[in-house]
Amino acid sequence: MSFATRMMSMTLSLQILTAFLFITATASSPPPSGFTMDLIQRRTNSPSSQRSNTDDQLRSSPYADVVFDNYEYLMKLQIGTPPVEIEAIVDTGSDVIWTQCLPCLNCFNQSNPIFDPSKSSTYKEKQCNTPNDPSCDYELTYADQSYSKGSYASETVTIKSTSGQSYMGKNMHGAFSYCLSPGGASKINFGSNAIVSGNGTVSTPMFLKPGFGFYHLNLDAVSVGETRVETLGTPFHAVDGNMIIDSGSTACSLPTSYCSLVWEAVEKFVTAERVTYADGLLCYKTNTMDVFPVITMHFSGGADLVLDKHNTYISNGHAICLLILCKEEALFGNTAQNNFLVGYDHSSRLISFKPTDCEVAQDIPRDSISAALVLQFNIKMMTIILSLQIITAFLFITATASSPPSGFTVDLIHRRTNSSSSQRSNVDGQLRSSPYADVFFETSEYLMKLKIGTPPVEIDAVLDTGSEIIWTQCLPCLNCYNQRNIIFDPSKSSTYKARTCNTGNPSCNYNLVYGDQSYTIGSLATETVTIQSTSGHSYVMPKTVIGCSHNSSGFVTTASGIVGLSWMSLSLISQMGKDMLGAFSYCFSPEGTSKISFGSNAIVSGDGTVSTPMFTKTEKPGFYYLNLDAVSVGEARVETLGTPFHAVDGNMLIDSGTTFTYLPASYCSLVRESVEKVVTAELFTTSDGTHCYKTKTMDIFPVITLHFSGGADLVLDRNNTYMAYGEAICLMIMCSPMTPVAEAAVFGNRAQNNFLVGYDRSSLQFSFKPTDCGVTEDKKPRDSTSAASFSQFNINCPFTNKTIEN
């Protein structure tokens, strides 16, 4: 076997191959295992592949010394049998785990002996299916043109632990955290030990880009002292990740156009003389940090990271320089991460930061470290040797105190509705108000009251997170169903303007067909939409795109139309624009009135709140998806794992416009079987396949819990999942394909009753908080409401086949 010009690549990656970490441990399952490794400051990752999994290992806290070497963090670990110690760079921006191997024709100098695979009994070269060369080669070139060439292999990797035993196990579930000290030793944690929480912790979504292994954050703004520099309005602005977080890069960098705005804000603050170096750094002739402003990074979801001045400025002995570079791409480097406990959670897709004194060794003067660091400014963007590439998305748990976004609240009518606003007047009075509309429950839907036109005409519209268009029936109406309010007459509104399309037909028509074959046909137009607010002032949204329906049929409702709240551009929340920040929340009461909130008022937090990632589908871009991991029926947990329903990227549509909850038939039957084992009453099945029991009491039924990704366990009240029907009580979890929408699984509005449900599109997160959503007095008994609802089994559901004719 020839190893000339080849370096061994250990298959020890913490990439997508790692199992997911469940943040919240349930009573029926043991807590996830975890371990901790002391770090050497450089940049490193601890892999583990095909490891034995014993109880002793699960109880231990494995560690490796990690040291700071110039501008990188190194981790100590052992490879081979017998084990040979190596030091490897921790790099969240790299994929392959590699080390230099003998024989080595062209190797750089390293502190440890070079690994000799011929002396290891567990080394096995990986085979590729190529006729000319059975070995599996790799070639990596980094941003600074350094490179590594070698062969893939599998090998035993051993990490020492604080228990004194070696760690060779699995079960880290795709979670890790590190605490990088500017000198001395640091730590890297894996599995359950990697949970970052407690006072001062902020969390932000983790974003992934197709075809790239990097972890992305979404930077909304940078504050320089009291001056906030928004990304909004610049090419750098994004909502799906615009900044790579990289433990293997030293400094932060920002795109040049946006970076110049940050630099200008620093220049306005610092009075010291500016000096220029060949590398183009922003430096000042001073020896004190006191003249520099504090810099805060504002990440999506309200994660405001207040950086110590030593995180953002560096001394070279003669001057102090800003350690934010102007480059083509945005990077959040390891110096800015110093003295933060940084957690990556693959299962919840969150990155969390907690201010921490990471120093665990003898103190080293920061400025001397800084002086060494500044000599290494040609940062290796991808010089990574041990990869921490775990695909995670950040969950935004903590709301910050600084400048909350504008927002408003609308009272809801139980049905499904949306309010839209496009190019609205944005006056201080509106931003300070909390707009609302009464929302009430009608049979199986939630309706919202709003006004359209000038003068305003009140309408009731179905609140639907599964629809895009905001539409109402209009005169002249050739084929309209009966509605509660007067049909809107656009000829009497001074602000109505028919929308024109670039076709032979000057009008812009739409044609929507819903899952139950109800339909609406009409014309698109712009109109003023008005929502009342709790301040007494109206929230006015001029030039909102609406649909004016002249032909609609098949709707079993008294509503005037539908308000779409989907991701699509013509939905209410999308047309509300920047002020509302893509956030809304509602609280559905099974009777009486409820509320819908927008913008900063839509933040869902406090005791009992659980959050889970929000997913979207390229093939169905308008819908919001949850990921259901399991359903517990009493104490029996029914996992999706091992069934066709199992997924990690969203497998359940959440829909305010569908009444009941649906599961795929094969998985649904497992849930129903678990219910049957608990309930002793006589079972019968209705003609439409609903499972019912001959009893009048809810007490004999098991509590059902939905386990969503990220540890969001939603314990449902029995009235969320069962419904009284005369002399029987029926399970309101339906088995597809009877779902009226083209989805196998739907989380309907009945199961959402008495939860404050928050949608945050900027942080890609849903939040649920148990809440008494009723605001009316003398509520009717729930069972009587349930019986009334049950008679409306043919529910109007969101459309899945929709076209807009141009």
Side-chain angles (χ1 to χ4, degrees), residues 354-366:
K354 181 180 181 180
T356 305
D357 185 357
C358 298
E359 193 82 29
V360 293
Q362 187 175 354
D363 289 342
I364 299 176
R366 284 197 171 190

Side-chain angles (χ1 to χ4, degrees), residues 208-494:
L208 304 169
K209 304 287 187 179
F212 296 91
F214 301 132
Y215 301 104
H216 286 80
L217 305 160
N218 201 86
L219 186 68
D220 294 335
V222 173
S223 284
V224 178
E226 298 299 318
T227 303
R228 184 174 170 117
V229 184
E230 299 284 351
T231 64
L232 193 65
T234 74
F236 183 41
H237 179 67
V239 295
D240 59 350
N242 57 5
M243 189 176 211
I244 295 170
I245 180 170
D246 185 14
S247 65
S249 293
T250 304
C252 289
S253 64
L254 294 171
T256 303
S257 60
Y258 179 73
C259 182
S260 64
L261 301 177
V262 175
W263 278 28
E264 287 173 9
V266 173
E267 290 182 60
K268 290 177 182 177
F269 192 98
V270 182
T271 55
E273 178 186 352
R274 180 176 174 179
V275 292
T276 303
Y277 293 103
D279 49 20
L281 297 173
L282 180 60
C283 302
Y284 293 89
K285 194 172 183 180
T286 180
N287 58 6
T288 176
M289 292 281 188
D290 296 340
V291 301
F292 289 89
V294 170
I295 289 180
T296 302
M297 298 282 190
H298 303 282
F299 295 111
S300 291
D304 297 342
L305 219 59
V306 182
L307 302 179
D308 186 89
K309 289 179 181 177
H310 290 92
N311 291 83
T312 48
Y313 304 98
I314 202 167
S315 172
N316 67 359
H318 306 286
I320 294 177
C321 304
L322 176 65
L323 204 52
I324 296 177
L325 312 181
C326 296
K327 300 283 186 181
E328 292 183 2
E329 64 180 344
L331 287 173
F332 191 52
N334 61 39
T335 302
Q337 299 174 51
N338 279 181
N339 286 326
F340 283 97
L341 180 58
V342 184
Y344 296 65
D345 190 342
H346 185 182
S347 63
S348 66
R349 298 189 178 180
L350 272 183
I351 294 179
S352 300
F353 300 89
K354 181 180 181 180
T356 305
D357 185 357
C358 298
E359 193 82 29
V360 293
Q362 187 175 354
D363 289 342
I364 299 176
R366 284 197 171 190
D367 285 347
S368 64
I369 295 171
S370 300
L373 281 172
V374 85
L375 301 176
Q376 301 288 348
F377 255 15
N378 293 322
I379 304 159
K380 299 180 180 180
M381 299 295 186
M382 299 178 61
T383 319
I384 320 169
I385 309 189
L386 256 179
S387 151
L388 290 178
Q389 266 193 335
I390 308 169
I391 298 181
T392 339
F394 301 154
L395 172 62
F396 244 41
I397 300 172
T398 306
T400 62
S402 65
S403 58
S406 58
F408 66 92
T409 302
V410 251
D411 286 337
L412 287 180
I413 316 164
H414 179 59
R415 197 159 215 191
R416 67 179 176 191
T417 254
N418 198 2
S419 70
S420 101
S421 67
S422 142
Q423 302 175 347
R424 310 165 312 246
S425 58
N426 183 11
V427 298
D428 291 342
Q430 291 204 111
L431 296 183
R432 287 192 296 268
S433 70
S434 294
Y436 79 96
D438 289 330
V439 175
F440 60 87
F441 174 63
E442 182 188 88
T443 61
S444 60
E445 300 168 319
Y446 285 88
L447 309 184
M448 184 181 87
K449 288 186 177 291
L450 64 158
K451 295 179 180 180
I452 58 173
T454 306
V457 174
E458 185 173 82
I459 67 169
D460 300 337
V462 176
L463 183 71
D464 192 356
T465 57
S467 294
E468 176 185 11
I469 305 292
I470 306 159
W471 65 266
T472 185
Q473 296 191 120
C474 296
L475 294 176
C477 200
L478 300 180
N479 181 31
C480 283
Y481 60 84
N482 293 330
Q483 65 177 54
R484 182 197 321 271
N485 298 90
I486 298 172
I487 295 178
F488 177 65
D489 186 349
S491 68
K492 295 182 178 179
S493 173
S494 61

